[in-house]
Amino acid sequence: MDKMLVHICCGVDAVWAIRKLKEQFPDTKIKGFFYDPNIHPEEEYELRWIETKRVCDSLDIDCIKGEYDLENWLNQVKGYENEPERGERCSICHDIRLEKTAKVAKELGFNKITTVLLMSPKKDFQVLKQIGEHIAQKYGIQFQSVEFRKGGGIEMMNKLSKQQQLYHQNYCGCIYGLFKQRQGLDIITELVSFGKGRLAGSREELLFIKQIRSFCENLGVSCKEQTFSFINWKLISSIMKIQKQPVYHTLLPYSSPIKGILRAKIESIIEKADKYIYKLNKTDTQIWKLKKELKEIPLKEPRILTNPVFIVGKDTNLEIGQKIELQLKTEFDASAKSQNLIIGDIKSPNKIFFHSDTLPDGTMGADLKEIISCIKQNEEPLKRGSICIVVLGASTVGNLGKRAFLEYTELESNL
Ligand code: SF4
């Protein structure tokens, strides 16, 4: 019996290609091999893996997860960082991935290999074919070059990935391609994870949702993602000094940036139930001193912008007349997206809610184990439709997930 190891780079490219292979080679044993050491950052790599696994599970195909040997990949493409897509760096990148696929195929006793990269309209079919055949020959196996795109393949890929609500990345994968493909856009914040939390609209938040979804689908429980857009606020940097001494602080989300350095004096104090508000002369910027330990504060209501608010803990010494120095750089992303995950039947009156996103200090959101154990406990009622579990996104920025869910529920019930 022929055995084919299929290199897979992402769920979207695999969703039609694997179907096509099963159809074209009904008597061949097919196994997936997810190998993407080129992907940056690692959360993106994990996201592509979980979506690949979802696709393979839905098609009853076994899939191995290759090693994330990024360092080796970076060393091998050294000197080709500035090449355009489809240039020399991409040929090396294909070489690395197909060479590994051939090696693993040989070790497993497979006699054929192929890659779903052949599916991508951005990849050169002839170059991939040449590389694949050359490498396969070296290992004494065969490279199967399949024209996945022909006969409406791209349309089928788009249709199926939409149906399965697959994560659709908007760049090829590596850090160099990302810079080239997004020229003119500020991409730095996409590459960096701030703090240890799953911030609203981040890859970490999406990965969390996909992990839960994958678990549910393996259990046979139906899931639906509901994506919504919002304006995201990101802190780039902030400095706060009292009498020239730096002070540990956080910011109220959606604080507007400060131009240059703001120098002011504390003018008055107002006491509230949970904090003291310090007003400064000549500015609307405020300092809040919490009556408890310093911690991040979620937004109760969605906002577009607020006057800058610096927050300090109960032990910070603040007095009228003290000299304050403040700096604040923030940015807004108008194309941010978050999502709710609806598990089970949305029409069920019994709903359990969890939050997926967390504050930058990692607090507020739910734990993966906690949600998984709730799903396990409610497996039968979820399948019967007598309960619905909803994991809400972007809760820390004005309960956006809940608002989107309520709007969505309204729409659903009107259908
Ligand atoms: S652009 Fe894509 S194919 Fe080219 S080197 Fe980067 S990840 Fe590899």
Side-chain angles (χ1 to χ4, degrees):
M1 188 196 202
D2 280 338
K3 291 181 182 175
M4 193 191 306
L5 191 66
V6 186
H7 165 252
I8 303 179
C9 55
C10 66
V12 172
D13 279 352
V15 73
W16 172 244
I18 301 279
R19 271 181 177 78
K20 191 86 185 141
L21 286 172
K22 283 181 84 171
E23 192 185 292
Q24 217 166 312
F25 304 97
D27 301 322
T28 300
K29 179 183 163 69
I30 294 171
K31 200 180 185 88
F33 178 53
F34 175 79
Y35 186 58
D36 260 354
N38 47 323
I39 303 301
H40 182 90
E42 198 171 350
E43 291 80 14
E44 174 77 19
Y45 164 82
E46 288 297 337
L47 203 46
R48 293 191 194 195
W49 156 244
I50 207 130
E51 292 298 78
T52 296
K53 183 87 175 64
R54 275 184 61 216
V55 168
C56 289
D57 286 348
S58 70
L59 293 169
D60 219 4
I61 290 282
D62 214 23
C63 189
I64 314 167
K65 186 184 186 190
E67 196 193 338
Y68 184 54
D69 45 358
L70 176 68
E71 234 180 281
N72 173 38
W73 185 88
L74 287 170
N75 281 335
Q76 295 210 48
V77 299
K78 227 176 212 152
Y80 298 95
E81 293 85 350
N82 293 321
E83 283 281 303
E85 201 178 344
R86 289 189 178 215
E88 195 53 35
R89 189 189 64 248
C90 298
S91 299
I92 300 170
C93 179
H94 297 149
D95 265 354
I96 298 170
R97 290 187 278 171
L98 290 178
E99 177 98 32
K100 185 75 170 195
T101 307
K103 200 166 174 260
V104 173
K106 196 76 191 165
E107 281 164 13
L108 294 174
F110 279 49
N111 61 334
K112 287 182 176 183
I113 57 165
T114 190
T115 173
V116 302
L117 287 169
L118 292 165
M119 180 84 235
S120 167
K122 292 199 174 141
K123 303 277 175 289
D124 190 318
F125 185 88
Q126 285 310 326
V127 170
L128 275 170
K129 186 171 180 279
Q130 273 170 20
I131 295 175
E133 285 174 352
H134 174 73
I135 290 173
Q137 206 181 23
K138 241 172 62 182
Y139 285 83
I141 54 178
Q142 198 188 329
F143 179 76
Q144 203 75 57
S145 51
V146 185
E147 300 258 22
F148 296 120
R149 298 174 217 163
K150 276 203 170 153
I154 299 289
E155 289 74 21
M156 284 308 291
M157 173 184 84
N158 290 333
K159 191 178 158 199
L160 290 165
S161 52
K162 218 171 174 181
Q163 258 172 26
Q164 282 184 240
Q165 297 191 303
L166 294 176
Y167 163 65
H168 207 145
Q169 62 272 3
N170 53 7
Y171 67 107
C172 184
C174 69
I175 191 165
Y176 311 118
L178 182 56
F179 273 103
K180 278 262 178 275
Q181 285 165 32
R182 302 278 194 86
Q183 239 164 25
L185 292 178
D186 183 1
I187 54 162
I188 300 302
T189 51
E190 293 204 34
L191 301 176
V192 183
S193 290
F194 290 103
K196 59 177 176 139
R198 294 186 300 266
L199 302 193
S202 67
R203 272 193 191 86
E204 289 87 343
E205 186 197 34
L206 179 59
L207 179 60
F208 186 71
I209 288 290
K210 295 289 186 184
Q211 283 169 324
I212 301 166
R213 179 171 191 154
S214 174
F215 177 80
C216 290
E217 287 176 345
N218 283 332
L219 217 59
V221 174
S222 66
C223 284
K224 197 169 179 178
E225 271 169 66
Q226 177 205 2
T227 305
F228 53 91
S229 303
F230 67 104
I231 295 174
N232 205 4
W233 175 90
K234 282 173 183 163
L235 171 64
I236 297 175
S237 67
S238 68
I239 296 173
M240 176 179 183
K241 288 182 183 170
I242 304 172
Q243 302 287 88
K244 297 195 175 164
Q245 291 306 308
V247 173
Y248 185 59
H249 63 276
T250 63
L251 271 303
L252 189 68
Y254 290 79
S255 284
S256 53
I258 294 175
K259 234 181 176 181
I261 303 175
L262 171 66
R263 292 188 177 91
K265 280 186 182 171
I266 298 178
E267 203 173 47
S268 60
I269 311 169
I270 301 169
E271 186 169 2
K272 298 272 175 188
D274 56 342
K275 60 181 171 281
Y276 298 96
I277 298 176
Y278 291 80
K279 295 204 166 186
L280 307 179
N281 66 333
K282 298 185 286 182
T283 172
D284 288 327
T285 300
Q286 295 182 351
I287 301 172
W288 290 0
K289 180 166 141 176
L290 303 181
K291 289 188 175 173
K292 288 186 180 165
E293 296 301 320
L294 179 58
K295 60 174 187 138
E296 305 284 342
I297 296 185
L299 270 191
K300 290 198 180 97
E301 294 291 322
R303 293 189 198 186
I304 302 297
L305 215 57
T306 177
N307 288 328
V309 177
F310 286 69
I311 304 169
V312 294
K314 66 178 173 55
D315 297 327
T316 308
N317 182 30
L318 283 171
E319 285 165 23
I320 290 185
Q322 273 177 331
K323 285 183 188 162
I324 307 290
E325 208 177 286
L326 303 168
Q327 291 179 52
L328 176 58
K329 282 188 192 160
T330 63
E331 69 166 19
F332 292 89
D333 173 9
S335 61
K337 283 191 169 60
S338 180
Q339 54 287 307
N340 294 329
L341 183 67
I342 298 155
I343 307 165
D345 189 350
I346 195 169
K347 293 192 196 85
S348 162
N350 302 317
K351 292 194 176 64
I352 302 174
F353 291 96
F354 289 99
H355 304 285
S356 63
D357 63 314
T358 69
L359 290 163
D361 63 7
T363 56
M364 223 189 105
D367 183 65
L368 188 60
K369 275 192 203 144
E370 191 187 346
I371 301 181
I372 296 291
S373 112
C374 179
I375 294 166
K376 273 192 200 155
Q377 272 169 24
N378 291 290
E379 184 181 342
E380 285 315 313
L382 279 169
K383 285 181 179 166
R384 272 202 314 274
S386 57
I387 207 165
C388 174
I389 297 176
V390 187
V391 188
L392 299 166
S395 298
T396 57
V397 288
N399 285 314
L400 286 177
K402 195 160 193 177
R403 284 162 202 270
F405 178 73
L406 292 175
E407 265 177 45
Y408 182 70
T409 322
E410 183 72 26
L411 286 178
E412 286 274 300
S413 55
N414 286 342
L415 288 178

